[in-house]
Amino acid sequence: MISPDALKQIVKEKYAEIAEQSRDENASSCCGATSSCCGDGMSYTIMADEYTGTDGYVAEADLGLGCGIPTAFAGIRSGMTVLDLGSGAGNDVFIAAREVGPEGRVIGVDMTQAMIDKANSNKEKVGATNVEFRFGDIEQLPVDDATVDVIVSNCVLNLVPDKAKAFAEMYRVLKPGGHFAVSDIVFEGSMPEALKTVAELYAGCVSGAIQKSEYLALIREAGFGQVDIPKEKDIIIPESILHDVSAALPEEHRTLSGARLVSVTVTGVKSA
C-alpha cells in the first residue's frame, strides 16, 4: 500500500509536469495530459466535459483535467465568495469569477506550485481582479472558518488520501447555509486491490476513487444535508490503456473486474 505522503508526492509530480505544458503541447505530446497513446501514460481527458462556450471560459486555463462542470450546478450568484478546491490552472475559478462579478471573489487552492504559477499567469492575462490563488492542502485548507458561500471542485477529491478530513474542512470553511457542488470519480462494485498500487492510475483519478456509497456517507458524516447527485455519467477506461499502465501487475489483475467507474456531480448544504 502506498503511504498518504507518497500518494501526494505522486500527484504533485504528475500535475507539475502537466502544468508546465500548454494544452496544445499536451494534445500533441505522447505523454501529455490529453494523450492516450503513451505506453505508460494515462489519458486524463477520457473524463473531461466540454467547457467551450461557457461564460468566463479561458482556454489557456482548461487543461482538460476535470470530470464534470461543477459550476453549472453550484448556484453561484453575484457578490458571493467561492472556493475552488484543486484549482489547477484556474479553469473553474475564472468561470465562477464571471458569475460572482466585481462584488464577489473566488479563491483557488492547489497543492502544486507549478499550477499556482500557471493560474496566476492566466489571471494576469485575463485581468481578473476578483480572483486569488493560494498554495495549500485540501486536508488543511488555508481559509478561515465560515467565510465561503460556495465550494466547487472538479475531479480532485478522489486524489485526496483522507477524504473524511477534506469534507470536514469543506464544512468548516463554509458559512452557515453555504453549499457545495463537486464533480468527482467514484465507483460501484469492487475494484481490485492491486490496481490501487498503480501510481499512474492514482494520478489519473481512478485508483484513488472510493465506493459511491462510502463517498456520500462521508459527506453526510461531515455534517452536510440535502445531499444530491444532479448529474452522473459512466467513465469507460479503454482496456488497452488499463493494460498498459498496470503492466507491472500479473495479467489477471490488469482489469477493473466489473467495477463501474462513475463521474458524479454532488451537491450538499451546510445547515444554517
Side-chain angles (χ1 to χ4, degrees), residues 101-112:
E103 302 303 316
R105 66 172 179 149
V106 185
I107 303 165
V109 172
D110 203 286
M111 69 172 185
T112 303

Side-chain angles (χ1 to χ4, degrees), residues 12 17 25-26 58 79 117 134 140 148 150 155 173 188 202-203 212 222 229 236-237 250 253 257:
K12 285 181 180 179
E17 176 187 335
E25 286 173 324
N26 281 327
V58 176
D117 295 343
R134 299 180 185 176
Q140 292 181 294
V148 172
V150 182
C155 221
V173 302
E188 295 179 320
Y202 191 88
K212 179 180 170 183
I229 300 178
I236 307 300
I237 307 293
H253 294 314
S257 294

Side-chain angles (χ1 to χ4, degrees), residues 61 63 65 84-91 109-110 114-116 118-119 133:
L63 301 180
L65 301 175
D84 181 17
L85 307 180
S87 48
N91 191 34
V109 172
D110 203 286
M115 284 294 185
I116 295 289
K118 194 175 187 74
F133 294 100

Side-chain angles (χ1 to χ4, degrees), residues 120-134:
N120 277 319
S121 175
N122 288 329
K123 172 186 172 181
E124 185 174 343
K125 287 177 184 174
V126 302
T129 57
N130 58 349
V131 163
E132 175 189 355
F133 294 100
R134 299 180 185 176

Side-chain angles (χ1 to χ4, degrees), residues 11 151 168 200:
V11 172
I151 292 174
E200 195 74 22

Side-chain angles (χ1 to χ4, degrees), residues 53-230:
T54 304
D55 285 346
Y57 177 70
V58 176
E60 291 82 356
D62 181 8
L63 301 180
L65 301 175
C67 57
I69 304 181
T71 50
F73 301 91
I76 298 171
R77 300 190 303 274
S78 176
M80 283 183 159
T81 297
V82 177
L83 172 64
D84 181 17
L85 307 180
S87 48
N91 191 34
D92 292 292
V93 167
F94 294 121
I95 290 168
R98 174 68 64 88
E99 296 177 332
V100 300
E103 302 303 316
R105 66 172 179 149
V106 185
I107 303 165
V109 172
D110 203 286
M111 69 172 185
T112 303
Q113 186 59 50
M115 284 294 185
I116 295 289
D117 295 343
K118 194 175 187 74
N120 277 319
S121 175
N122 288 329
K123 172 186 172 181
E124 185 174 343
K125 287 177 184 174
V126 302
T129 57
N130 58 349
V131 163
E132 175 189 355
F133 294 100
R134 299 180 185 176
F135 178 82
D137 193 320
I138 293 173
E139 295 170 359
Q140 292 181 294
L141 284 170
V143 180
D144 291 338
D145 294 358
T147 54
V148 172
D149 295 295
V150 182
I151 292 174
V152 296
S153 185
N154 199 348
C155 221
V156 171
L157 293 173
N158 70 84
L159 299 170
V160 178
D162 191 342
K163 294 172 180 57
K165 194 168 185 180
F167 291 129
E169 279 290 273
M170 290 167 58
Y171 194 86
R172 177 183 68 79
V173 302
L174 277 173
K175 297 176 182 177
H179 62 277
F180 72 83
V182 300
S183 297
D184 208 359
I185 299 297
V186 296
F187 70 89
E188 295 179 320
S190 180
M191 183 182 295
E193 287 296 317
L195 288 184
K196 298 180 182 179
T197 67
V198 179
E200 195 74 22
L201 283 175
Y202 191 88
C205 301
V206 174
S207 57
I210 62 175
Q211 286 268 2
K212 179 180 170 183
S213 58
E214 180 185 1
Y215 192 93
L216 297 176
L218 288 175
I219 289 172
R220 293 188 175 99
E221 287 169 10
F224 290 104
Q226 301 178 48
V227 178
D228 192 19
I229 300 178

